[in-house]
Amino acid sequence: MGRTLENKKEIVADLKETLSESTLALVIEYQGLTVAEITDLRRRLRPSGAVCKVTKNTLMGIAIEGEEKWQPLSELLKGSSAFLLVKEDFSSAIKAYQDFQKATKKTELRGGVMEGRLLKEPDVKALGDLPSKEQLIAQIAGAINALATKIAVGINEVPGSLARALQAVADQEQSGGSTETAAVQDSSTETATEADSSTETAAE
């Protein structure tokens, strides 16, 4: 039994909503896959936040009407199409599909679209080789921890540096103070000598 017009409208609306939340769309030739295998693909994609939509090309064509960034998809709408719609973690989603393809050897990647650009298989592979979202988070966290460690070490070294600076000032002041004391003592000696000389002159 064919789909009703109302049912088709619901499918198109669902496709539009999913596309609005997606950054990457992949199109695969899925002919020959069993229901169980498609379910397995969806399970593999789930951790990355991607979804697999199996629908007619005509309905996807309607869904992308007026959507400039998805227009290149029209070049891929042929044959039996399954659409992998990826939100953010495209690297993990592509790796999940690649693992599925290796296990089944039944699908073929027709291409993809990202930011209004048509992607060929080498482009998709290059995206899959990028770090996943989890790996990026781990790298950023590692960089932050390394920076925090450097800051902590620097802060710990400040008291020692400050103490050495204060000690140097104290030593300098002490050295200057000793010199002044010696100068005062020399001045007192000279004054006493002059007084004795005056006394001797008066006696004569």
Side-chain angles (χ1 to χ4, degrees), residues 24-109:
L24 170 68
L26 300 178
V27 185
I28 64 172
E29 175 71 43
Y30 82 98
Q31 189 172 18
L33 289 180
T34 65
V35 173
E37 287 169 335
I38 292 175
T39 301
D40 179 43
L41 174 58
R42 287 172 171 156
R43 179 187 60 79
R44 291 171 183 261
L45 292 170
R46 195 172 297 123
S48 68
V51 296
C52 174
K53 298 286 187 180
V54 178
T55 188
K56 289 186 176 181
N57 294 322
T58 52
L59 296 181
M60 178 57 80
I62 295 172
I64 64 174
E65 284 181 359
E67 299 293 337
E68 186 176 350
K69 72 174 185 176
W70 297 120
Q71 285 308 302
L73 268 178
S74 60
E75 298 183 36
L76 305 173
L77 301 181
K78 55 186 178 181
S80 301
S81 304
F83 303 91
L84 311 186
L85 305 180
V86 187
K87 291 184 178 180
E88 295 179 354
D89 196 359
F90 46 80
S91 177
S92 294
I94 293 171
K95 287 182 174 70
Y97 166 69
Q98 289 172 336
D99 289 342
F100 172 79
Q101 165 59 12
K102 288 177 183 177
T104 62
K105 295 181 174 61
K106 289 183 178 181
T107 65
E108 179 183 345
L109 178 64

Side-chain angles (χ1 to χ4, degrees), residues 151-167:
I151 292 174
V153 170
I155 291 174
N156 288 334
E157 289 180 349
V158 167
S161 300
L162 181 60
R164 288 191 293 273
L166 292 174
Q167 185 61 48

Side-chain angles (χ1 to χ4, degrees), residues 133-154:
K133 184 177 180 180
E134 287 74 13
Q135 290 172 325
L136 286 173
I137 291 174
Q139 290 174 5
I140 292 171
I144 291 174
N145 288 337
L147 178 60
T149 300
K150 289 181 180 179
I151 292 174
V153 170

Side-chain angles (χ1 to χ4, degrees), residues 72-73 75-76 110-120 123:
L73 268 178
E75 298 183 36
L76 305 173
R110 202 175 295 155
V113 173
M114 185 176 189
E115 297 298 327
R117 180 189 170 198
L118 183 65
L119 305 178
K120 301 297 184 181
D123 302 320

Side-chain angles (χ1 to χ4, degrees), residues 3-21:
R3 297 182 184 277
T4 65
L5 179 60
E6 191 64 30
N7 186 227
K8 290 178 180 179
K9 287 182 178 179
E10 290 176 359
I11 293 172
V12 170
D14 178 63
L15 289 173
K16 281 181 172 290
E17 182 179 357
T18 306
L19 284 168
S20 70
E21 300 172 348

